[in-house]
Amino acid sequence: MNVSYRWLSDYIDLSGITAQELAEMMTRGGIEIDSVPSRNAGVSGVVVGYVKTREKHPDADKLSVCTLDVGTGEDLQIVCGAANIGADMKVPVAMVGAKLPGGLDIKRAKLRGVESQGMICSAKELGINDKLLPKEQQEGILILPTDTEVGRDILDVLALNDSIMELDLTPNRSDCLSMLGVAYEVAALTGRPLELPEPSKDLYLSSDKTSDFVRVSIKATEQCSLYTARYIKGVKIAPAPQWIQNRLIAAGVRPINNIVDITNYVMLEYGQPLHAFDAAKVAGGRIDVRLAQPGEVLVTLDDQERKLEPQMLVIADAEKAIALAGVMGGANSEVTLETTDIILESAKFDGGTVRRTSRQLGLRSEASARFEKEVDPARVRDALDRAASLIARYAEGLVTEGIAEAEVSTKEPVKVELSLSRINGMLGTELSSLEIKTILSRLHFVAEVSGDGVWNVSIPSRRGDITHDVDLVEEVARLHGYDEIPTTLIDGQTTAGALTKPQAIRRELRSIMTGAGLHEAICYSVTSLQRTTLFKELSGETKPIPLAMPMSEERSVLRTTLIPSLLEAASYNITRKNNDLALFEIGNVYHSDEDVLTRLPQEKPRAALLLSGNRRSAGWNRSAEAVDFYDAKGILEKVLERLGLGKKIAYVAAQPEGFHPGRTAAITIRTDRGIETIGYVGQLHPELQREFDLSDTYVAELELAPIYEYANRHIEYRVLPRYPAMERDIAVVVDRNVFGGALTEAIIASAGELLESVKVFDVYTGDRVSSDKKSVALALVYRHGERTLTDEEVTETHALVLAQLEQSFGAELRK
């Protein structure tokens, strides 16, 4: 919203307050002012001149020699190159010594041998945006109205000695989308009286009745609560007065003609959009506010054909739609130079309806910007009368008696109870009742005392943002002055902030995985229906959860597992020659057992990783090394060990869908409830690798809920060993289907507290063992924390280990 400082002065005395000071005051009061540019771009010494004669230049076809009266008593001779210059015109004249924007100084000059004593100016040369001028004024010199006083400073004529405050309004302060709204705000901030225009002043009434010419009905009662219209006869279409044009241009609105300009002027003044119809084009003199009919089409004032939908609100006559309600008028009822009678509209349309129509059609206007934020219903009739009176004065129209209107509902005034204790308690102030009543009166709010320090405050309809007492407390705070509110320490019990256990674990996961060289990916939470059918063991029995309004088929349902998102990210990188990938993601998946949702789906937190390409690239002294299963498993082991779960986790061979059948393990956790599978790690199935155009790729996905429950993030410190260890290596022959993990678990269970560690260091399947057997070599380390072990103790424990292996797996010591 651009607010003219001079225009604002019509409603409130701003003497002693500059535009910059007022902008600072408003910004401190909660209405941010982005900038306060001056309309004068550097013009001085330019006055109104009257062209007495125009003659062709003797030596130049495109130049004219003009004689001008500039009010000094002495005519000036000026050479002009504009094609639209002519005798009997009034134009801006920059006399010798004048200054123009861009540092241009006007001096005496000779053009093709003819002396020129100044310069006749165009709008652009005066620093005015000529795109905001009427079309006929956009080329050549600026032609002024014939009644403009000769010799008058052009700064006064065009209101260039003005400043424009550019308001950056938040959506809740739509009341300041009008000059009167800003005037109320300034009056409240300054405490100065407000002078409002009289809407019906100079309203020249005809003896005819409005009801004889126009009838109004509202059929879409939910989309329009009030519609009013006046009928004005005998208007003469012409340019609007210069002062109205000046104010429109200052606000960034292009003047068109007196009727349209007056409706725009009143819209800016009252915040109430209006529209004028050519009465001769309104069939049957009938106005119906209704929803659009299926297949209905309307050509709007911008000459664009709009295909309407049934939820769009239109203004219609007895035969056709003539306007998009609250957005733009129709070309079939446009006011033209031939118009003599008009129907003037002012209404209260539903903001949501106007916003949806504007968005669907890609058609945003000054009117829609106001309607969609809800206009003040109390100003609908006042704005109508104000515009009618201006049209009567400046378009010589006669306004018929009465208003044609339809009203289906009225909004009850908002009343809010406010207490002094509530204000001081929230602001930490010690304001008195008198100070509060003074602030409320400056806001033009009516406050009735309902108790000691308690008021019932009636909120004007123009302030639709105030509905609760906290809103009034905010008004008190900003008018009292935010700088005046004392700084106080927080009183009461405080609690030190901390991360929850899941938050801390997720942070730890990110730290470990990034430390291991992985990059975090943040993928879409929506995917295609086809992707949800992959990795069924990870998805479970969930049903697809579709979006109500998907962006595309590829983003139409909520994801049920993280791995497909990482595969898409990997494929995207591979096609861009980024072949060595190490990615992870921590996020939610969404599961539901309902075909049609009646309750919210389950959000399950998970972590996933993906490795592809080489763990180490080739160099002059080494060959490249491709990632394998043990890289993925090693990262998981590091993560789970750091979270204190190393002894609870086991890896069991598995063949889940989507994974390589021989290179995949289920990740299990030992809990109070038994052994639970919390995820899988392994190579991607070759068919999926081909589908995503990937080389050998390894993935893993973990449920985080059990990890949140059982993780122990506290680091357990142990003293350095003071006593020596005893190492025993064994090689046992077992069936080929026995896993090394099963052997180490059996050893840990049977060796007891003397065993410090056990690991597999070799597996042999050569000629020296049977084809259905394999030799597994294990290194065992025994140590006691408080004394030196004896050979007898270690031998006895080692014998128990061998016996357990023989009993459980039929293991034989390899000779």
Side-chain angles (χ1 to χ4, degrees), residues 361-381:
L361 296 177
L363 182 60
R364 188 168 176 81
S365 63
E366 289 285 344
S368 68
R370 286 165 173 79
F371 274 122
E372 67 186 22
K373 295 178 178 65
E374 302 293 350
V375 298
D376 179 5
R379 288 183 181 166
V380 172
R381 294 180 180 88

Side-chain angles (χ1 to χ4, degrees), residues 722-738:
R722 298 173 58 190
Y723 299 96
M726 299 184 69
E727 298 180 3
R728 297 287 176 91
D729 293 345
I730 57 173
V732 293
V733 178
V734 294
D735 292 340
R736 284 206 175 193
N737 60 358
V738 175

Side-chain angles (χ1 to χ4, degrees), residues 587-746:
N588 290 339
V589 298
Y590 305 88
H591 290 181
S592 174
D593 57 1
E594 297 182 299
D595 291 315
V596 178
L597 284 180
T598 61
R599 60 181 184 273
L600 291 176
Q602 289 181 289
E603 294 188 40
K604 296 187 175 184
R606 289 191 179 178
L609 63 83
L610 177 147
L611 303 176
S612 185
N614 295 321
R615 81 165 71 91
R616 187 174 74 177
S617 58
W620 66 272
N621 60 345
R622 67 186 184 194
S623 60
E625 293 182 4
V627 296
D628 59 22
F629 171 85
Y630 297 101
D631 290 301
K633 180 172 178 283
I635 292 172
L636 292 178
E637 288 177 335
K638 183 177 182 179
V639 168
L640 296 169
E641 182 70 30
R642 175 64 187 83
L643 296 175
L645 295 173
K647 294 182 180 180
K648 293 179 180 290
I649 298 296
Y651 300 86
V652 181
Q655 296 185 5
E657 187 175 323
F659 287 84
H660 192 291
R663 300 176 185 174
T664 303
I667 306 166
T668 64
I669 184 170
R670 187 170 61 254
T671 70
D672 301 336
R673 299 181 292 272
I675 304 297
E676 298 179 10
T677 299
I678 62 171
Y680 295 92
V681 57
Q683 184 177 343
L684 195 64
H685 195 284
E687 290 182 0
L688 279 179
Q689 288 181 169
R690 285 192 293 270
E691 179 182 336
F692 285 93
D693 199 21
L694 302 172
S695 59
D696 286 354
T697 298
Y698 298 87
V699 294
E701 185 166 326
L702 284 173
E703 288 273 9
L704 291 182
I707 294 175
Y708 293 161
E709 183 178 356
Y710 292 102
N712 176 14
R713 298 186 303 106
H714 301 290
I715 298 175
E716 295 181 1
Y717 294 95
R718 292 179 296 178
V719 297
L720 292 173
R722 298 173 58 190
Y723 299 96
M726 299 184 69
E727 298 180 3
R728 297 287 176 91
D729 293 345
I730 57 173
V732 293
V733 178
V734 294
D735 292 340
R736 284 206 175 193
N737 60 358
V738 175
F739 295 103
L743 296 175
T744 58
E745 284 190 17

Side-chain angles (χ1 to χ4, degrees), residues 193-310:
L194 192 62
E195 296 182 14
L196 300 178
E198 297 179 24
S200 300
K201 185 179 180 182
D202 299 328
L203 185 60
Y204 310 135
L205 292 176
S206 163
S207 58
D208 295 321
K209 304 290 186 182
T210 300
S211 57
D212 294 334
F213 297 93
V214 58
R215 299 181 306 279
V216 170
S217 68
I218 299 176
K219 295 181 179 178
T221 56
E222 294 184 3
Q223 290 79 18
C224 177
S225 57
L226 174 63
Y227 190 96
T228 66
R230 276 197 177 275
Y231 194 89
I232 307 174
K233 300 166 55 179
V235 298
K236 294 182 179 179
I237 309 300
Q242 187 66 47
W243 67 271
I244 288 182
Q245 293 191 41
N246 291 342
R247 291 183 172 184
L248 292 180
I249 292 171
V253 178
R254 181 171 63 88
I256 298 174
N257 59 50
N258 50 1
I259 303 299
V260 176
D261 292 355
I262 286 171
T263 60
N264 284 333
Y265 176 85
V266 174
M267 176 187 69
L268 294 172
E269 185 176 42
Y270 279 79
Q272 171 64 44
L274 304 132
H275 185 67
F277 301 100
D278 186 331
K281 300 174 183 177
V282 177
R286 176 177 157 188
I287 296 288
D288 290 331
V289 185
R290 61 169 173 80
L291 294 176
Q293 298 170 352
E296 194 165 14
V297 174
L298 176 67
V299 177
T300 47
L301 288 173
D302 57 359
D303 293 325
Q304 297 294 313
E305 184 177 272
R306 310 286 180 179
K307 294 182 179 179
L308 308 183
E309 297 185 12

